[in-house]
Amino acid sequence: MSHWKEMNKEELEKQYSPSCWSHRMDKDAVVEAHIKEIAKAPALLIYFHGGYWQLLSKDLSGFMVPPLVKAGAIVVAVEYSLAPKGNMDLIVSQVRHSVAFIVQQYSALSGVYLCGHSAGAHLGAMVLCTDWAEFGISPDIKGALLVSGIYDLCPIVHTSANDPLQMTEGDALRNSPLQFVNTMKRQGGNCEIVVSVAQHDSDEFKKQSQEYYQDINDEQSWPWRSNKLRRGRYC
């Protein structure tokens, strides 16, 4: 992953500025267009919004609720403290506690699905590698859809996106899903993980998604074998 260190500041900024990638609209319209998009999923869906950990909210994520509820799903959009009020450690902790609380509230359901976009995909990936023993629960996470996620935060430290976050290299490593793939695998479970990127995402975003997908599907790194290996798809 160290290839990004060879980029100059302008190129690094471009690679990690999602609002600049659209070929169809001005960068200021990208976030607004994202809010209008919609996805469908069954059962209990927990959604983590994007916005580089500093924009958007659970309320804006409410656009997806009516059609999903109409289709029979239970939808929960998770809120977290946006930077600079919240740092990365706090944000990840809040999301994990939120999932634990939600799972306890809907304990009668047979399974949970996660969905996140951009920063929300990062948070979803961090949820997948949570040590649930710390929370006294064992959630049955059956699926996760991670869209345009960031799985190695180290490059972000050197971009303007880090201005409100103020992450150090240590903060970035501690909160990078790519560092904890083996932790996720040791927990086992029957969870299908779909890793997805958009057509016009930057090469760096696509590379991160490909590397995360490859790591979660590297069976040689699994410490055990069973008929319930996590599966992954990349699209």
Side-chain angles (χ1 to χ4, degrees):
M1 296 294 294
S2 60
H3 60 277
W4 62 266
K5 295 181 180 179
E6 300 174 4
M7 298 179 186
N8 60 39
K9 185 174 179 59
E10 182 179 358
E11 178 61 20
L12 188 63
E13 190 72 28
K14 178 181 178 181
Q15 289 291 328
Y16 286 90
S17 297
S19 61
C20 298
W21 305 338
S22 176
H23 289 205
R24 295 183 294 108
M25 63 187 73
D26 182 80
K27 65 179 183 179
D28 293 332
V30 172
V31 173
E32 182 178 350
H34 165 65
I35 295 171
K36 296 178 181 179
E37 291 300 316
I38 194 161
K40 294 184 178 181
L44 171 59
L45 175 71
I46 301 177
Y47 180 75
F48 311 106
H49 68 80
Y52 254 150
W53 310 278
Q54 56 196 280
L55 297 168
L56 305 181
S57 68
K58 66 177 179 61
D59 296 322
L60 291 175
S61 301
F63 69 91
M64 66 174 63
V65 174
L68 290 173
V69 170
K70 185 177 180 180
I74 296 173
V75 184
V76 180
V78 171
E79 189 73 288
Y80 48 90
S81 296
L82 301 178
K85 181 179 179 181
N87 59 34
M88 192 59 67
D89 286 329
L90 176 62
I91 292 171
V92 170
S93 176
Q94 287 179 336
V95 167
R96 285 171 166 166
H97 278 86
S98 294
V99 171
F101 176 79
I102 294 165
V103 168
Q104 290 171 327
Q105 294 301 304
Y106 293 95
S107 59
L109 294 179
S110 59
V112 179
Y113 295 82
L114 308 178
C115 181
H117 172 257
S118 190
H122 158 262
L123 294 174
M126 290 301 290
V127 168
L128 289 173
C129 63
T130 301
D131 180 3
W132 294 112
E134 178 182 336
F135 296 86
I137 63 170
S138 182
D140 184 13
I141 300 177
K142 291 188 174 298
L145 172 59
L146 308 177
V147 183
S148 299
I150 306 160
Y151 307 103
D152 175 15
L153 300 187
C154 289
I156 300 293
V157 173
H158 304 277
T159 70
S160 60
N162 193 42
D163 290 347
L165 289 163
Q166 293 295 298
M167 281 191 299
T168 65
E169 291 281 351
D171 296 333
L173 286 170
R174 190 166 57 251
N175 292 287
S176 290
L178 270 169
Q179 298 292 319
F180 302 100
V181 170
N182 286 337
T183 299
M184 179 187 74
K185 290 177 176 180
R186 282 195 296 270
Q187 297 183 55
N190 188 23
C191 175
E192 180 172 2
I193 303 170
V194 177
V195 182
S196 177
V197 290
Q199 179 182 0
H200 299 302
D201 283 357
S202 75
D203 291 340
E204 278 291 291
F205 264 54
K206 291 176 181 177
K207 186 175 183 65
Q208 286 216 15
S209 291
Q210 287 172 334
E211 291 185 352
Y212 182 69
Y213 163 77
Q214 289 166 356
D215 277 8
I216 64 176
N217 284 280
D218 180 8
E219 294 189 7
Q220 291 183 354
S221 66
W222 287 81
W224 44 263
R225 294 289 186 134
S226 82
N227 59 0
K228 286 191 174 183
L229 289 176
R230 289 177 184 259
R231 306 178 304 281
R233 287 192 287 129
Y234 176 74
C235 55

